[in-house]
Amino acid sequence: MNDTSIDYRRPPGPVRPVALGVDPETLAALEALRERFGNIVSVEKPSGRIAYFVNEPEEVRRILVRRHGKYKKGPGFERVKMLLGNGIIVSDGDVWRRARTMIQPAFKVQNVHRLIPAMVACCDKRAAAWAAVADAGGTLDITAETSAFALELILVSIFGDDYESRIASLPENPFSFLASDSVRDLGVVMKARALRRFLSEIIAARRASDIDRRFDFLAMYLSATDRQGAGFTDEELLDELITLIVAGFETSANTLNWAWYLLAGHPGVEARLIEEAERLLPNAGAVNADSISAMVYTQQVIEETLRLYPPVWLFTRRALADDALDDYDVPRDADIYLSPYLLHRTEAFWEDPDRFDPDRFESSPGRSQRERPYFPFSLGPRRCLGEYFSFLEMKIHLGLLLPRFRMLRLDDEDPGLELGINLRSKRNIRLRPERRVRQRHARPKSIRSKNVRSKNVRSKNLRSKNVR
Ligand code: HEM
């Protein structure tokens, strides 16, 4: 608890205590606080703890990058710990540093490139299922589909051949509750325990096999060593594997969910993405590191989707020592709240912030973080390790599937926001797939013009509270 008897320079804020969590009420409370008190606000929580809500890009950088050692993970992470144990996302200090050193090599670009065929195969599987739905004139629960896609991909990436032989062959996928249970309650914890037992068997079998020349994440985690030459214990490995599964699929799945929704409402953007995909990925054989990195427009679409719907919409930290922000003092033990969701939609930094416009991310040298705060993957030493993996997977997913299927919205209703640990759509998004005839076409003139394009993307049914 903070010692409020000592005088310190405290930012403005309400006199009455404010409850803050990781929930929809918190977003509304933070918006109201910003409106009333400005970009750095202090509140007292009902527990008496002091919390700062920081909306200044420069100060956000200071906390996440330059002074990151003065902060540890904050409120909300206890709930995640029930599921992830002390894995890399929730740990701090030396435990985190050791895990990061051991895990980071597995995310090297050349290792991630080895997973391209698996990414293509997971898309092909979806395409086959979607074609059957399209032919039957049915609808797709795209929220469930993107979840299943991203979950299967992360499992194949972690377990390699063991996925087919040990997991896909089971009557029920023991990991699928991670994709369907959005509430991290006690039931999930029980299922997570059963999952740990199942994972222990796979680990034991791998440890017992003589020379393992595999390059999946499990093999790399098994051979990882710290500076003293020690590897992960079985318990540590279990925490890290569950962390990798949860971190590795939910975020990408949510981003793809929103991307399909946005594309279905923005035909101009969709047409440009298809043109790029047909040019660079004319067939599955053309999917390689070079062609994917050339998918510049698809990258912009994903970046813009992540601006509007950053899966980790709220970061929390707790001060380990006294610190200073701007003209204010941060007392030890104070909680810090940072919201990419709010900063990504702040008019002062982003013109017409609720409008979906991937052209914002056209490369423009000289733009700084101060000018345009953007941190869906966080910043600094704790920045996401899976950023490259996720862009590769999402570009391949959209690049292979969008040219094959037109997705039509069923209604104009806004899917709404579910603000938990991750930002999801409140209701599952249903779209009607139609097969497209794959064709090579010159880019239509109309979509080259910026003016016409911005008219296209201002679709009426997105003029809701979330996005235009
Ligand atoms: C759109 C996709 C993704 C987004 C937006 C995202 C976002 C983030 C964010 C914001 C953090 C930091 C959280 C914090 O500091 O409080 C993080 C950490 C992490 N992410 Fe991701 N992530 C994505 C995909 C992935 C994937 C696909 C993987 C693995 C394959 C992954 C693995 C990790 C790991 C291991 C960490 C912990 C890093 C550390 O604490 O040192 N992420 N991610």
Side-chain angles (χ1 to χ4, degrees), residues 54-124:
V54 182
N55 250 301
E56 280 288 350
E58 198 49 40
E59 302 307 322
V60 167
R61 278 195 83 77
R62 198 195 304 273
I63 293 166
L64 295 177
V65 187
R66 294 206 294 280
R67 304 265 180 86
H68 96 99
K70 289 202 164 197
Y71 296 89
K72 61 174 187 166
K73 295 276 172 129
F77 281 95
E78 317 80 50
R79 261 164 76 203
V80 188
K81 273 191 176 187
M82 294 197 303
L83 190 63
L84 307 184
N86 207 24
I88 185 168
I89 284 199
V90 292
S91 59
D92 286 296
D94 290 344
V95 175
W96 164 75
R97 211 163 287 113
R98 173 175 176 263
R100 180 99 187 185
T101 316
M102 292 170 76
I103 285 173
Q104 197 149 314
F107 288 89
K108 277 191 192 140
V109 165
Q110 60 269 36
N111 285 339
V112 178
H113 287 166
R114 286 204 185 100
L115 297 168
I116 291 175
M119 293 177 180
V120 173
C122 288
C123 290
D124 285 347

Side-chain angles (χ1 to χ4, degrees), residues 198-215:
F198 176 69
L199 283 174
S200 299
E201 290 167 20
I202 299 184
I203 293 171
R206 281 283 186 108
R207 286 211 198 270
S209 63
D210 298 345
I211 305 164
D212 212 326
R213 294 195 189 281
R214 285 182 267 198
F215 292 103

Side-chain angles (χ1 to χ4, degrees), residues 5 14 69 83 94 103 130 165 178 205 308 324 356 360 370 413 416 433 437:
S5 63
L83 190 63
D94 290 344
I103 285 173
W130 294 4
S165 60
L178 295 170
L308 288 165
F356 176 61
R360 294 177 201 273
R370 182 201 282 269
E413 212 187 304
V437 183

Side-chain angles (χ1 to χ4, degrees), residues 247-275:
F249 93 88
E250 224 179 337
T251 40
S252 307
N254 288 335
T255 311
L256 286 171
N257 180 41
W258 289 113
W260 280 106
Y261 171 74
L262 290 166
L263 287 165
H266 295 82
V269 177
E270 191 189 40
R272 286 176 75 188
L273 201 156
I274 291 172
E275 183 280 325

Side-chain angles (χ1 to χ4, degrees), residues 64 73 77 88-91 96 100 103-104 107 154 217 221 240 243-244 247-253 255 302 306 309-312 314-317 340 375-379 381-387 389-391 393-394:
L64 295 177
K73 295 276 172 129
F77 281 95
I88 185 168
I89 284 199
V90 292
S91 59
W96 164 75
R100 180 99 187 185
I103 285 173
Q104 197 149 314
F107 288 89
I154 196 70
F217 277 112
Y221 277 31
E240 294 306 346
T243 297
L244 184 57
F249 93 88
E250 224 179 337
T251 40
S252 307
T255 311
I302 296 166
L306 284 164
Y309 300 105
V312 187
L314 185 67
F315 296 1
T316 64
R317 294 291 187 264
F375 54 109
F377 294 95
S378 188
L379 301 166
R382 298 210 69 156
R383 192 178 178 126
C384 175
L385 274 171
E387 184 171 344
F389 176 106
S390 73
F391 269 108
E393 109 180 83
M394 293 189 284

Side-chain angles (χ1 to χ4, degrees), residues 21-28 30 309-315 338-342 418-424:
V22 185
D23 49 35
E25 293 73 39
T26 297
L27 178 64
L30 296 178
Y309 300 105
V312 187
W313 66 280
L314 185 67
F315 296 1
L338 315 168
S339 174
Y341 180 85
L342 289 175
E418 186 189 294
L419 296 148
I421 303 284
N422 267 296
L423 185 160
R424 303 166 173 235

